């Protein structure tokens, strides 16, 4: 238990100055949305697709009030409730897509870097072909393909985002494996008869995945923007399936000309704050885990005051 707590506190204890403040600010911002996502049924006054309460229909594009803190939209939905429920949708999509990326990208990168040869050439060709496409265009293509199979669900959007980021995990892990497999401890493991699976699992995996948390955090911020872009284009999750900030901003465009500002302001602000929080967490972790960027706190050196030498010093002189 103590080792786990020290591991969690490591990013905060090994950073100082601006890096620590970036990490703390990012963690606090992200924690707010995590709390909203977990406790959405209790924090949101209404459901994400609820348009009436106690038999009374909500006003259409009603201004913010004590009953509806962020107002209502043109579909009679409460904007405050949709912002809170949207945090759950965003985190569900991001977590699922990052898990798929880790499960697929890390083993492929590890095997490609370790074995090399024809397997490495084929995998590098496939990943480079995927990486050459613009990320949003690739997400749109996979969204079209997966919507026919899974519909406009969280699974379809998550898999569409995974197709963008798997090549990044593959390239990071592969490049690290290429250098790590020539290390002395790997040669020693081969000398004592360890199998390839044992070497990759016990000796290489722990070293090549050190950059994965940083990459996952930065990709999570980009995934939030890509999810919002898909929703804005109408290719993500629909209003009646789940609350999604990008789709709400898209519907709010028709309200902007009539002076209805609250339907687009609050979902857009939620996107900006969550992306900012995840980006700050990623940059703070990078300062901690990357030894070339890490700056340790310098302790002042206090010298003893100059005075008459001690008898021992006089004897030595």
């Amino acid at each position: 238990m103590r080792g786990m707590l020290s591991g969690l506190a490591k990013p905060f204890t090994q950073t100082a100055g601006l890096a620590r403040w970036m990490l703390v600010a990012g963690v606090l911002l992200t924690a707010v949305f995590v709390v909203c996502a977990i406790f959405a049924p209790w924090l949101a006054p209404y459901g994400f697709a609820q348009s009436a309460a106690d038999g009374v229909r909500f006003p259409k594009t009603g201004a913010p009030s004590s009953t509806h803190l962020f107002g209502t939209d043109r579909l009679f939905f409460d904007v405050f409730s949709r912002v809170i429920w949207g945090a759950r949708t965003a985190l569900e999509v991001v977590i699922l897509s990052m898990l798929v990326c880790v499960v697929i990208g890390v083993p492929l990168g590890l095997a490609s870097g370790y074995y090399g040869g024809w397997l490495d050439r084929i995998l590098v060709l496939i990943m480079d072909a995927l990486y050459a496409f613009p990320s949003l265009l690739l997400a749109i293509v996979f969204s079209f393909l997966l919507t026919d199979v899974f519909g406009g669900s969280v699974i379809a959007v998550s898999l569409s985002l995974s197709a963008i980021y798997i090549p990044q995990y593959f390239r990071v892990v592969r490049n690290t494996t290429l250098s790590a497999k020539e290390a002395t401890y790997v040669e020693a493991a081969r000398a004592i008869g360890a199998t390839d699976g044992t070497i990759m699992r016990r000796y290489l995996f722990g070293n090549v995945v050190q950059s994965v948390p940083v990459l996952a955090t930065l990709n999570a911020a980009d995934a939030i923007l890509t999810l919002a872009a898909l929703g804005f284009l109408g290719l993500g999750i629909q209003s009646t399936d789940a609350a999604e900030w990008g789709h709400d901003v898209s519907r709010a465009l028709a309200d902007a000309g009539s002076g209805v500002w609250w339907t687009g302001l609050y979902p857009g602000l939620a996107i900006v704050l969550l992306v900012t929080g995840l980006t700050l967490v990623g940059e703070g972790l990078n300062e901690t885990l990357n030894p070339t960027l890490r700056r340790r706190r310098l302790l002042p050196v206090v010298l003893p005051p100059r005075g008459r030498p001690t008898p021992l010093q006089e004897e030595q002189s």
Side-chain angles (χ1 to χ4, degrees):
M1 185 65 179
R2 181 178 299 178
M4 182 182 299
L5 293 177
S6 62
L8 293 175
K10 179 181 176 181
F12 300 94
T13 57
Q14 293 193 358
T15 54
L18 181 60
R20 175 178 293 179
W21 287 111
M22 288 170 53
L23 183 60
V24 171
V27 169
L28 291 178
L29 273 176
T30 306
V32 171
F33 288 95
V34 171
V35 170
C36 290
I38 296 175
F39 300 102
W42 296 274
L43 295 178
Y46 308 104
F48 64 85
Q50 184 177 349
S51 59
D54 299 327
V56 179
R57 196 171 184 84
F58 296 155
K60 183 177 181 180
T61 60
S65 62
S66 59
T67 306
H68 304 283
L69 295 179
F70 292 172
T72 58
D73 59 13
R74 59 176 48 244
L75 296 180
F76 306 93
F77 296 153
D78 181 67
V79 177
F80 178 69
S81 299
R82 288 191 63 83
V83 169
I84 293 180
W85 283 101
R88 169 172 287 193
T89 303
L91 292 181
E92 284 180 351
V93 171
V94 168
I95 291 174
L96 183 57
S97 62
M98 293 301 106
L99 286 177
V100 173
C101 290
V102 171
V103 170
I104 297 178
V106 172
L108 289 181
L110 189 60
S112 178
Y114 182 80
Y115 289 111
W118 63 269
L119 176 64
D120 181 53
R121 289 194 293 270
I122 292 176
L123 290 176
V124 168
L125 178 63
I126 296 174
M127 296 300 171
D128 285 348
L130 291 175
Y131 197 74
F133 281 92
S135 59
L136 181 58
L137 178 60
L138 189 62
I140 291 174
V141 172
F142 274 90
S143 180
F144 274 120
L145 297 175
L146 295 174
T147 300
D148 296 335
V149 180
F150 298 102
S153 62
V154 171
I155 296 178
V157 178
S158 301
L159 295 179
S160 301
L161 297 180
S162 301
I164 304 174
Y165 304 111
I166 285 177
Q168 298 184 25
Y169 287 82
F170 170 83
R171 296 175 70 176
V172 169
V173 174
R174 173 186 175 271
N175 294 338
T176 309
T177 305
L178 286 176
S179 58
K181 74 175 183 179
E182 304 298 335
T184 306
Y185 64 89
V186 177
E187 295 295 336
R190 292 195 186 99
I192 63 176
T195 61
D196 293 340
T198 302
I199 293 175
M200 287 189 290
R201 184 178 66 255
R202 297 186 58 183
Y203 299 99
L204 290 178
F205 180 79
N207 292 322
V208 302
V209 299
Q210 293 182 2
S211 300
V212 170
V214 178
L215 182 62
T217 307
L218 295 175
N219 283 346
D222 188 70
I224 295 294
L225 293 176
T226 307
L227 173 64
L230 290 177
F232 187 83
L233 296 175
L235 301 174
I237 304 171
Q238 301 302 314
S239 301
T240 55
D241 296 329
E244 202 279 306
W245 296 328
H247 186 69
D248 290 349
V249 172
S250 176
R251 289 190 293 103
L253 288 179
D255 303 330
S258 57
V260 179
W261 50 268
W262 52 87
T263 56
L265 174 64
Y266 296 111
L269 190 61
I271 296 172
V272 172
L273 291 178
L274 182 54
V275 170
T276 302
L278 291 173
T279 303
L280 291 176
V281 171
E283 294 295 336
L285 289 177
N286 196 27
E287 291 276 349
T288 304
L289 301 179
N290 192 340
T292 61
L293 298 177
R294 183 168 55 209
R295 296 180 179 178
R296 295 187 180 273
R297 184 180 302 172
L298 298 179
L299 299 178
V301 178
V302 180
L303 296 176
R306 298 183 62 181
R308 185 175 179 179
T310 61
L312 179 61
Q313 291 175 340
E314 292 178 351
E315 182 180 345
Q316 291 177 349
S317 61

